Amino acid sequence: MSVQPYNEDQTDALQEVANIAMGQAGDSLARILDNFVTLSVPRIRQIAIHELVDTVTTMVGDEEEVSAVRQAFYNSLRGEAIVIFTQSGADELAELLGYDCELDAAIEQELLLEVGNLLVGAILSGISETLGTEVGFSAPSLMAERTPLYQVLAPDQLSWQHALLVEVNFSVEKHRFKSHLLMFMTEETIETLRSILDEFMDDF
Amino acid sequence: MAVPLTVVDDSRISRKMVIRALPPGWDVEITQAENGEEALTAYRAGKADVMFLDLTMPVMDGYEVLEHLQKESLNTFVVVISADIQPEAQERVKKLGAMAFIKKPVKTENIVAVLEEYGLI
């Protein structure tokens, strides 16, 4: 079954929800880093699974190995969120937090889990608070470390057909780190979110 | 007489949310701008005695708008409305001449509080 893409208004509304959410994530990150964080406008795209590897590769660059953190969400919206960090992004992040480049593997994992959790938590709370719906989420787990992207996003790794891709950019002073947040959802959830967005816009 | 108000935000839904949150009975003539450049154009056309300004925008962001206004000693009452809730963001925009900061999602009571504080309503 094919799913209609979100229309311009629905996408715009979702982007604004992401913007508010990233504002909260940025504030939390600034407190962790004890430094001012510059946020860019998050971009949202709806993609089908068969386009996923190509789309994300174009954004991330195909040279790079990536690490990924996954987290399930449930209640009125069901699916799984995956945050992808490039190795250079993870290194920048570590440097920002005051670690030397030679990172202990355990510290690096902890770092990725923490920041992944922050981003996913922010976006899910943003959706639930702004749109007035209930979303719960599980603890994050590490899905891949220093792995080529196509392996992380291999179709047999994923049980979903549809995804929303949110590109998130943070920078702190001269450090810049980019991460990509993918929200995989069931068809039913895509439709539930569509009606929530429509209802939200009807309020205006 | 209606106050010329420009609402600056790249998101249409966000401009709509701000406009819907304006206090009922506040007599304004609303202009919408999608980025900083459009905001300055609106200002120069006399359409922005009051400006509700978002920070993160493509083309020209809110910080740049404030810098322009400050450099050219332009006179408009700027309220920053942003999702960036870091205390330092608020300090920065105030240093750049913004009169107030309201966090997103914007609520009528927050707008009323600012307008009352400065005797605009």
Side-chain angles (χ1 to χ4, degrees), chain B residues 16-88:
Chain B
K16 240 174 165 178
M17 284 166 82
V18 170
I19 291 166
R20 288 301 162 102
L22 295 175
W26 188 33
D27 189 13
V28 284
E29 194 185 301
I30 300 166
T31 302
Q32 298 191 37
E34 280 183 26
N35 58 56
E37 265 177 25
E38 287 186 19
L40 291 176
T41 306
Y43 173 82
R44 292 186 183 113
K47 291 177 175 167
D49 284 9
V50 178
M51 191 185 283
F52 284 176
L53 180 67
D54 181 31
L55 289 180
T56 43
M57 288 181 292
V59 186
M60 182 193 282
D61 69 20
Y63 291 107
E64 291 173 85
V65 172
L66 289 167
E67 279 162 17
H68 269 272
L69 293 171
Q70 204 172 43
K71 220 182 291 167
E72 298 172 37
S73 319
L74 304 180
N75 185 23
T76 171
F77 186 93
V78 180
V79 178
V80 168
I81 298 185
S82 175
D84 189 344
I85 51 172
Q86 297 174 78
E88 198 180 328

Coordinates of all heavy atoms in Angstrom, one line a residue, chain B residues 16-88:
Chain B
K16 N 1.3 32.0 11.5 CA -0.1 31.9 11.8 C -0.3 31.8 13.3 O -1.3 32.4 13.8 CB -0.6 30.6 11.1 CG -1.7 30.8 10.1 CD -2.0 29.4 9.5 CE -3.3 29.3 8.7 NZ -3.4 28.0 8.1
M17 N 0.5 31.0 13.9 CA 0.4 30.8 15.4 C 0.6 32.1 16.1 O -0.1 32.4 17.1 CB 1.4 29.8 15.9 CG 1.1 28.3 15.5 SD 2.4 27.2 15.8 CE 2.4 26.8 17.5
V18 N 1.6 32.9 15.7 CA 1.8 34.2 16.3 C 0.6 35.1 16.1 O 0.1 35.8 17.0 CB 3.1 34.9 15.7 CG1 3.2 36.3 16.2 CG2 4.3 34.1 16.1
I19 N 0.1 35.2 14.8 CA -1.0 36.1 14.5 C -2.3 35.7 15.3 O -2.9 36.6 15.8 CB -1.2 36.1 13.0 CG1 0.0 36.8 12.3 CG2 -2.5 36.8 12.7 CD1 0.0 36.6 10.8
R20 N -2.5 34.4 15.4 CA -3.6 33.9 16.2 C -3.5 34.2 17.7 O -4.5 34.3 18.4 CB -3.9 32.4 16.0 CG -4.4 32.1 14.7 CD -5.8 32.8 14.4 NE -6.1 32.8 13.0 CZ -6.9 31.9 12.4 NH1 -7.6 31.1 13.1 NH2 -7.1 32.0 11.1
A21 N -2.3 34.4 18.1 CA -2.0 34.6 19.6 C -2.0 36.1 19.9 O -1.9 36.5 21.1 CB -0.7 34.0 20.0
L22 N -2.2 37.0 18.9 CA -2.2 38.4 19.2 C -3.4 38.7 20.1 O -4.5 38.1 19.9 CB -2.3 39.2 17.9 CG -1.1 39.1 17.0 CD1 -1.4 39.9 15.7 CD2 0.2 39.6 17.6
P23 N -3.3 39.6 21.0 CA -4.4 39.9 21.9 C -5.6 40.5 21.1 O -5.4 41.4 20.3 CB -3.8 41.0 22.9 CG -2.5 41.4 22.4 CD -2.1 40.4 21.4
P24 N -6.8 40.0 21.4 CA -7.9 40.5 20.7 C -8.1 42.0 21.0 O -7.9 42.4 22.1 CB -9.1 39.7 21.2 CG -8.6 39.0 22.4 CD -7.1 39.0 22.4
G25 N -8.4 42.8 20.0 CA -8.6 44.2 20.3 C -7.4 45.1 20.1 O -7.5 46.3 20.1
W26 N -6.2 44.4 19.9 CA -5.0 45.2 19.6 C -5.1 45.6 18.2 O -5.1 44.7 17.3 CB -3.8 44.4 19.9 CG -2.5 45.2 19.9 CD1 -2.3 46.5 20.2 CD2 -1.2 44.7 19.4 NE1 -1.0 46.9 20.0 CE2 -0.3 45.8 19.5 CE3 -0.7 43.5 19.0 CZ2 1.1 45.7 19.2 CZ3 0.6 43.4 18.7 CH2 1.5 44.5 18.8
D27 N -5.2 46.9 17.9 CA -5.4 47.4 16.6 C -4.1 47.4 15.8 O -3.3 48.3 15.9 CB -6.1 48.8 16.6 CG -6.5 49.3 15.3 OD1 -6.6 48.4 14.3 OD2 -6.8 50.5 15.1
V28 N -3.9 46.4 14.9 CA -2.7 46.3 14.2 C -2.9 46.1 12.7 O -4.0 45.6 12.3 CB -1.8 45.1 14.6 CG1 -1.1 45.5 15.9 CG2 -2.6 43.8 14.7
E29 N -2.0 46.6 11.9 CA -2.0 46.3 10.5 C -0.8 45.3 10.2 O 0.3 45.7 10.4 CB -1.8 47.5 9.7 CG -2.2 47.4 8.2 CD -1.9 48.7 7.5 OE1 -2.4 49.7 7.9 OE2 -1.0 48.6 6.6
I30 N -1.2 44.1 9.9 CA -0.2 43.0 9.9 C 0.5 42.8 8.5 O -0.2 42.7 7.5 CB -0.8 41.7 10.3 CG1 -1.4 41.8 11.7 CG2 0.2 40.5 10.2 CD1 -2.3 40.7 12.1
T31 N 1.8 42.8 8.5 CA 2.6 42.4 7.3 C 3.3 41.1 7.7 O 3.8 41.0 8.8 CB 3.6 43.5 6.9 OG1 2.8 44.7 6.7 CG2 4.4 43.1 5.6
Q32 N 3.4 40.2 6.7 CA 4.2 39.0 7.0 C 5.5 38.9 6.2 O 5.5 39.3 5.0 CB 3.4 37.7 6.7 CG 2.1 37.6 7.5 CD 1.4 36.3 7.3 OE1 2.1 35.2 7.2 NE2 0.1 36.3 7.3
A33 N 6.6 38.5 6.8 CA 7.9 38.4 6.1 C 8.4 37.0 6.4 O 8.3 36.5 7.5 CB 8.8 39.5 6.7
E34 N 9.1 36.5 5.4 CA 9.6 35.1 5.4 C 11.0 35.0 5.9 O 11.5 33.9 6.2 CB 9.4 34.4 4.1 CG 8.0 33.9 3.8 CD 8.0 33.1 2.5 OE1 9.0 32.6 2.0 OE2 6.9 33.1 1.9
N35 N 11.7 36.1 5.8 CA 13.1 36.1 6.3 C 13.5 37.5 6.6 O 12.7 38.5 6.5 CB 14.0 35.5 5.2 CG 13.9 36.3 3.9 OD1 14.1 37.5 3.8 ND2 13.5 35.6 2.8
G36 N 14.8 37.7 7.1 CA 15.3 39.0 7.5 C 15.2 40.0 6.4 O 14.9 41.2 6.7
E37 N 15.6 39.6 5.2 CA 15.6 40.6 4.1 C 14.2 41.2 3.9 O 14.0 42.4 3.8 CB 16.1 40.0 2.8 CG 17.6 40.2 2.6 CD 18.1 39.5 1.4 OE1 17.3 39.2 0.5 OE2 19.3 39.2 1.4
E38 N 13.2 40.3 3.9 CA 11.8 40.8 3.7 C 11.4 41.7 4.9 O 10.7 42.6 4.7 CB 10.9 39.6 3.6 CG 11.0 38.9 2.3 CD 9.9 37.8 2.1 OE1 8.9 37.9 2.8 OE2 10.1 36.9 1.3
A39 N 11.9 41.4 6.1 CA 11.6 42.2 7.3 C 12.1 43.6 7.1 O 11.4 44.5 7.4 CB 12.2 41.5 8.5
L40 N 13.4 43.7 6.7 CA 14.0 45.0 6.5 C 13.2 45.8 5.4 O 13.0 47.0 5.5 CB 15.5 44.9 6.2 CG 16.3 44.4 7.4 CD1 17.8 44.2 6.9 CD2 16.2 45.3 8.6
T41 N 12.8 45.1 4.3 CA 12.1 45.8 3.3 C 10.7 46.3 3.9 O 10.3 47.4 3.6 CB 11.8 44.8 2.1 OG1 13.0 44.2 1.7 CG2 11.0 45.4 1.0
A42 N 10.1 45.5 4.7 CA 8.8 45.9 5.3 C 9.1 47.1 6.2 O 8.3 48.1 6.2 CB 8.2 44.7 6.1
Y43 N 10.2 47.1 7.0 CA 10.5 48.2 7.8 C 10.7 49.5 7.0 O 10.1 50.5 7.4 CB 11.8 47.9 8.6 CG 12.2 49.1 9.4 CD1 11.6 49.4 10.6 CD2 13.2 50.0 8.9 CE1 12.0 50.6 11.3 CE2 13.5 51.2 9.5 CZ 12.9 51.5 10.8 OH 13.2 52.6 11.4
R44 N 11.4 49.4 5.9 CA 11.7 50.6 5.1 C 10.4 51.1 4.5 O 10.3 52.3 4.1 CB 12.8 50.3 4.1 CG 14.1 50.0 4.8 CD 15.3 49.9 3.8 NE 16.5 49.6 4.6 CZ 17.2 48.5 4.6 NH1 16.8 47.5 3.8 NH2 18.2 48.3 5.4
A45 N 9.4 50.2 4.3 CA 8.2 50.7 3.7 C 7.2 51.2 4.8 O 6.0 51.4 4.5 CB 7.5 49.5 3.0
G46 N 7.8 51.3 6.0 CA 6.9 51.9 7.1 C 5.9 50.9 7.7 O 4.9 51.3 8.3
K47 N 6.2 49.6 7.5 CA 5.2 48.6 7.9 C 5.6 47.9 9.2 O 5.0 46.8 9.6 CB 5.0 47.5 6.8 CG 4.3 48.2 5.6 CD 4.2 47.2 4.5 CE 3.4 47.8 3.4 NZ 3.5 46.9 2.1
A48 N 6.6 48.4 9.9 CA 7.1 47.6 11.1 C 7.4 48.6 12.3 O 8.6 48.6 12.7 CB 8.3 46.8 10.7
D49 N 6.4 49.3 12.8 CA 6.7 50.0 14.0 C 7.0 49.0 15.1 O 7.7 49.2 16.1 CB 5.4 50.8 14.4 CG 5.3 52.1 13.6 OD1 6.1 52.2 12.6 OD2 4.5 53.0 13.8
V50 N 6.3 47.8 15.0 CA 6.5 46.7 15.9 C 6.9 45.5 15.0 O 6.3 45.3 14.0 CB 5.3 46.4 16.8 CG1 5.6 45.2 17.7 CG2 4.9 47.6 17.6
M51 N 7.9 44.8 15.5 CA 8.4 43.6 14.7 C 8.4 42.4 15.6 O 9.1 42.4 16.7 CB 9.7 43.9 14.1 CG 10.2 42.9 13.1 SD 11.9 43.2 12.5 CE 11.6 44.5 11.3
F52 N 7.7 41.3 15.2 CA 7.8 40.1 16.0 C 8.8 39.2 15.1 O 8.5 38.8 14.0 CB 6.5 39.4 16.1 CG 5.6 40.0 17.2 CD1 4.3 39.6 17.4 CD2 6.1 41.0 18.0 CE1 3.5 40.1 18.4 CE2 5.3 41.6 19.0 CZ 4.0 41.1 19.2
L53 N 10.0 38.9 15.7 CA 11.1 38.4 14.9 C 11.5 37.0 15.3 O 11.9 36.8 16.5 CB 12.2 39.4 15.0 CG 13.5 39.1 14.3 CD1 13.3 39.2 12.8 CD2 14.6 40.1 14.7
D54 N 11.5 36.0 14.4 CA 12.1 34.7 14.7 C 13.6 34.8 14.5 O 14.1 35.7 13.9 CB 11.5 33.7 13.6 CG 12.0 32.3 13.8 OD1 12.3 31.9 14.9 OD2 12.1 31.6 12.8
L55 N 14.4 33.8 15.1 CA 15.8 33.9 15.0 C 16.4 33.0 13.9 O 17.2 33.5 13.1 CB 16.5 33.5 16.3 CG 16.3 34.5 17.5 CD1 17.0 34.0 18.7 CD2 16.9 35.9 17.1
T56 N 16.0 31.7 13.9 CA 16.6 30.9 12.9 C 15.8 30.9 11.6 O 14.7 30.4 11.6 CB 16.7 29.4 13.4 OG1 15.4 29.1 14.1 CG2 17.8 29.2 14.4
M57 N 16.4 31.5 10.6 CA 15.7 31.7 9.3 C 16.7 31.6 8.2 O 17.9 32.0 8.4 CB 15.0 33.0 9.2 CG 13.8 33.2 10.1 SD 13.0 34.8 9.8 CE 14.3 35.9 10.6
P58 N 16.4 31.1 7.0 CA 17.3 31.1 5.9 C 17.4 32.6 5.4 O 16.7 33.4 5.8 CB 16.7 30.2 4.9 CG 15.2 30.1 5.2 CD 15.1 30.4 6.7
V59 N 18.3 32.8 4.4 CA 18.6 34.1 3.8 C 19.2 35.1 4.7 O 20.4 35.4 4.6 CB 17.4 34.7 3.1 CG1 17.8 35.9 2.3 CG2 16.7 33.7 2.2
M60 N 18.4 35.6 5.7 CA 19.0 36.4 6.7 C 18.3 36.1 8.0 O 17.1 36.2 8.1 CB 18.7 37.9 6.3 CG 19.4 38.9 7.3 SD 18.8 40.6 7.1 CE 19.7 41.1 5.8
D61 N 19.1 35.8 9.0 CA 18.4 35.3 10.3 C 18.1 36.5 11.2 O 18.4 37.7 10.9 CB 19.3 34.3 11.0 CG 20.6 34.8 11.6 OD1 20.7 36.0 11.7 OD2 21.5 33.9 11.8
G62 N 17.5 36.2 12.3 CA 17.0 37.3 13.2 C 18.2 38.1 13.8 O 18.0 39.3 14.0
Y63 N 19.3 37.5 14.1 CA 20.4 38.2 14.7 C 20.9 39.3 13.7 O 21.2 40.4 14.1 CB 21.6 37.2 15.0 CG 21.3 36.3 16.2 CD1 21.1 34.9 15.9 CD2 21.4 36.8 17.5 CE1 20.9 34.1 17.0 CE2 21.1 35.9 18.5 CZ 20.9 34.6 18.3 OH 20.7 33.7 19.3
E64 N 21.0 38.9 12.4 CA 21.4 39.8 11.4 C 20.5 41.0 11.2 O 20.9 42.1 11.0 CB 21.6 39.1 10.0 CG 22.7 38.1 10.0 CD 22.7 37.3 8.7 OE1 23.3 37.8 7.7 OE2 22.1 36.2 8.7
V65 N 19.2 40.7 11.4 CA 18.2 41.8 11.3 C 18.5 42.8 12.4 O 18.5 44.0 12.2 CB 16.7 41.2 11.4 CG1 15.7 42.4 11.5 CG2 16.4 40.4 10.2
L66 N 18.7 42.2 13.6 CA 18.9 43.1 14.8 C 20.2 43.9 14.6 O 20.2 45.1 14.9 CB 19.0 42.3 16.1 CG 17.7 41.7 16.6 CD1 18.0 40.6 17.6 CD2 16.8 42.8 17.1
E67 N 21.3 43.3 14.0 CA 22.5 44.0 13.8 C 22.3 45.2 12.8 O 22.8 46.3 12.9 CB 23.6 43.1 13.2 CG 24.2 42.3 14.3 CD 25.0 41.1 13.8 OE1 25.3 41.0 12.6 OE2 25.3 40.2 14.7
H68 N 21.5 44.9 11.7 CA 21.2 45.9 10.7 C 20.5 47.1 11.3 O 20.8 48.2 11.1 CB 20.3 45.3 9.6 CG 21.1 44.8 8.4 ND1 21.5 45.6 7.4 CD2 21.6 43.6 8.2 CE1 22.2 44.9 6.5 NE2 22.2 43.6 7.0
L69 N 19.5 46.7 12.1 CA 18.6 47.8 12.8 C 19.5 48.6 13.7 O 19.4 49.9 13.7 CB 17.5 47.2 13.6 CG 16.4 46.4 12.8 CD1 15.5 45.7 13.7 CD2 15.6 47.4 11.9
Q70 N 20.4 48.0 14.4 CA 21.3 48.7 15.3 C 22.3 49.6 14.6 O 22.4 50.7 14.9 CB 22.0 47.7 16.2 CG 22.5 48.2 17.5 CD 23.0 47.2 18.4 OE1 23.8 46.3 18.0 NE2 22.7 47.2 19.7
K71 N 22.9 49.0 13.6 CA 23.9 49.7 12.8 C 23.3 51.0 12.1 O 24.0 52.0 12.1 CB 24.5 48.8 11.7 CG 26.0 49.0 11.6 CD 26.6 48.1 10.5 CE 26.6 46.6 10.9 NZ 26.9 45.8 9.7
E72 N 22.1 50.8 11.6 CA 21.5 52.0 10.9 C 20.6 52.8 11.8 O 19.9 53.7 11.3 CB 20.7 51.4 9.7 CG 21.6 50.7 8.7 CD 20.8 50.0 7.6 OE1 19.7 50.5 7.2 OE2 21.1 48.9 7.3
S73 N 20.8 52.6 13.1 CA 19.9 53.3 14.1 C 18.5 53.3 13.7 O 17.9 54.4 13.8 CB 20.4 54.7 14.4 OG 21.8 54.7 14.5
L74 N 17.9 52.2 13.3 CA 16.5 52.2 12.9 C 15.7 52.0 14.1 O 16.1 51.3 15.1 CB 16.3 51.1 11.9 CG 17.2 51.1 10.7 CD1 17.0 50.0 9.7 CD2 17.0 52.5 10.0
N75 N 14.5 52.6 14.1 CA 13.7 52.6 15.2 C 12.4 51.8 15.1 O 11.4 52.2 14.5 CB 13.3 54.1 15.5 CG 12.5 54.3 16.7 OD1 12.6 53.5 17.7 ND2 11.7 55.4 16.8
T76 N 12.5 50.6 15.7 CA 11.3 49.7 15.7 C 11.3 48.9 17.0 O 12.4 48.6 17.5 CB 11.3 48.8 14.4 OG1 10.2 47.8 14.6 CG2 12.6 48.1 14.2
F77 N 10.2 48.6 17.5 CA 10.1 47.8 18.7 C 10.1 46.3 18.4 O 9.2 45.8 17.8 CB 8.7 48.2 19.4 CG 8.6 47.6 20.8 CD1 8.9 48.3 21.9 CD2 8.0 46.4 20.9 CE1 8.7 47.8 23.2 CE2 7.8 45.8 22.2 CZ 8.2 46.5 23.3
V78 N 11.3 45.7 18.7 CA 11.4 44.3 18.3 C 11.2 43.3 19.4 O 11.8 43.4 20.5 CB 12.8 44.0 17.7 CG1 13.0 42.6 17.3 CG2 13.1 45.0 16.5
V79 N 10.3 42.4 19.2 CA 10.1 41.3 20.1 C 10.6 40.0 19.4 O 10.1 39.7 18.4 CB 8.6 41.1 20.5 CG1 8.4 40.0 21.4 CG2 8.1 42.4 21.1
V80 N 11.6 39.4 20.0 CA 12.1 38.1 19.4 C 11.2 37.0 19.9 O 10.9 36.8 21.1 CB 13.5 37.9 19.8 CG1 14.0 36.5 19.4 CG2 14.4 38.9 19.1
I81 N 10.7 36.2 18.9 CA 9.9 35.0 19.2 C 10.7 33.8 18.7 O 10.8 33.7 17.5 CB 8.5 35.1 18.6 CG1 7.8 36.3 19.2 CG2 7.7 33.8 18.8 CD1 6.4 36.5 18.7
S82 N 11.2 33.0 19.6 CA 12.1 31.9 19.1 C 11.9 30.6 19.9 O 11.5 30.6 21.1 CB 13.5 32.4 19.2 OG 14.4 31.4 18.9
A83 N 12.3 29.5 19.3 CA 12.4 28.2 19.9 C 13.7 28.1 20.6 O 13.9 27.2 21.5 CB 12.2 27.1 18.9
D84 N 14.7 28.9 20.3 CA 16.0 28.8 21.0 C 15.9 29.5 22.3 O 15.9 30.7 22.5 CB 17.0 29.6 20.1 CG 18.4 29.3 20.6 OD1 18.6 28.9 21.7 OD2 19.4 29.6 19.8
I85 N 15.7 28.6 23.4 CA 15.4 29.1 24.7 C 16.7 29.2 25.6 O 16.5 29.4 26.8 CB 14.3 28.3 25.4 CG1 14.8 26.8 25.3 CG2 13.0 28.5 24.7 CD1 13.9 25.9 26.2
Q86 N 17.8 29.1 25.0 CA 19.1 29.3 25.8 C 19.1 30.7 26.4 O 18.9 31.6 25.7 CB 20.3 29.1 25.0 CG 20.4 27.7 24.4 CD 21.6 27.6 23.4 OE1 22.7 27.6 23.8 NE2 21.3 27.7 22.1
P87 N 19.4 30.8 27.7 CA 19.5 32.1 28.3 C 20.4 33.0 27.6 O 20.1 34.2 27.4 CB 20.0 31.8 29.7 CG 19.7 30.4 30.0 CD 19.7 29.7 28.7
E88 N 21.5 32.5 27.0 CA 22.4 33.3 26.3 C 21.8 33.9 25.0 O 22.2 35.0 24.6 CB 23.7 32.6 26.0 CG 24.8 33.5 25.7 CD 26.2 32.8 25.4 OE1 26.4 31.8 25.9 OE2 26.9 33.4 24.6

